[in-house]
């Protein structure tokens, strides 16, 4: 009952301490809390109901801890949560229902973790995000169906170990506005990596920024993709391109 008398608290910063875990019901009396900062601790474990009753929480920052897995109950029913910062942990796995009851999540930061595999149809429900950061992980392969239920405007996959972009990886991604794939090991990109079976996709598509710098790309046939007509910025610097065909 440490926070029993702090019901008016809206912001709590416990960063840069020696916390190792977050126990159940730790913050249950902080009914007006909006921002919680827990970065740069030693946190490995988040217990069930750790964030119970935080119905007004908007931002949680867990950056630079030692979390290895995101369980489906960690952030359950945080209906007003908009920003979740998990940068700089040791995350390997994310349970498929982890963000099921977090309908207002705006930004999800998973940068600088140990994620090596993205599983097909990972999320059985739709996640609506403005920004998703998967930079600086160990991702080698993008499965065709991973982003089916992830509606995101700004997607960062830079500084991974991706070698190729296959057909339909970004199928029906009407909402995608910026895609960063820089600093990978990409050698080939399918001409149909970004496509749709919707006849109106040409009008609805929003992709304006495509960053492919510092890869191993040799040919750029993929830029003839008819759905890239709205591109405003394309970076192909620091690749192995030898010829540009007419």
């Amino acid at each position: 009952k440490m926070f029993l008398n702090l019901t008016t608290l809206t912001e709590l910063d416990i960063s840069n301490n020696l916390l190792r875990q977050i126990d159940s019901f730790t913050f249950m009396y902080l009914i007006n809390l909006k921002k919680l900062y827990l970065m740069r601790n030693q946190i490995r474990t988040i217990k069930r109901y750790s964030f119970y009753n935080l119905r007004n929480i908007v931002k949680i920052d867990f950056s630079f801890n030692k979390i290895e897995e995101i369980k489906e109950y960690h952030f359950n029913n945080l209906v007003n949560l908009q920003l979740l910062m998990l940068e700089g942990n040791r995350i390997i796995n994310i349970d498929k229902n982890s963000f099921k009851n977090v309908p207002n999540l705006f930004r999800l930061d998973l940068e600088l973790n140990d994620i090596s595999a993205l599983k097909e149809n990972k999320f059985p429900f739709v996640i609506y995000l403005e920004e998703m950061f998967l930079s600086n992980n160990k991702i080698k392969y993008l499965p065709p169906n991973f982003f089916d239920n992830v509606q995101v405007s700004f997607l960062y996959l830079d500084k991974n170990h991706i070698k190729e972009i296959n057909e339909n990886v970004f199928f029906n991604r009407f909402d995608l506005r910026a895609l960063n794939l820089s600093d990978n090991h990409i050698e080939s990109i399918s001409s149909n990596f970004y496509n749709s079976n919707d006849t109106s996709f040409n009008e609805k598509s929003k992709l304006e920024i495509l960053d492919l710098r510092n890869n191993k790309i040799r040919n750029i046939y993929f830029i003839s993709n008819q759905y890239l007509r709205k591109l405003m910025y394309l970076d192909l610097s620091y690749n192995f391109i030898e010829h540009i065909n007419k």
Side-chain angles (χ1 to χ4, degrees), residues 111-129:
E111 187 173 357
L112 278 166
N113 277 284
D114 293 326
I115 300 168
S116 60
L118 300 178
K119 298 176 182 177
E120 290 189 28
N121 298 310
K122 178 69 177 179
F123 302 109
F125 51 89
V126 179
I127 300 174
Y128 298 94
L129 296 169

Side-chain angles (χ1 to χ4, degrees), residues 34 131 135 168 203 226:
K34 291 187 175 181
E131 298 176 305
S135 313
N168 297 333
E203 290 73 41
Q226 63 175 316

Side-chain angles (χ1 to χ4, degrees), residues 6 8 13 20 36 63 83 89 116 142 152 154 201 211 244:
L6 299 178
T8 59
D13 190 339
R20 296 188 178 214
L36 177 59
S63 301
L83 295 97
N89 278 277
S116 60
L142 298 179
V152 58
F154 297 84
F201 188 63
D211 192 341
I244 297 177

Side-chain angles (χ1 to χ4, degrees), residues 36-39 59-63 65 83-86:
L36 177 59
Y37 299 96
L38 292 157
M39 56 276 201
K59 178 178 181 178
I60 297 177
D61 194 334
F62 264 112
S63 301
N65 278 282
L83 295 97
L84 180 56
M85 321 301 284
L86 293 159

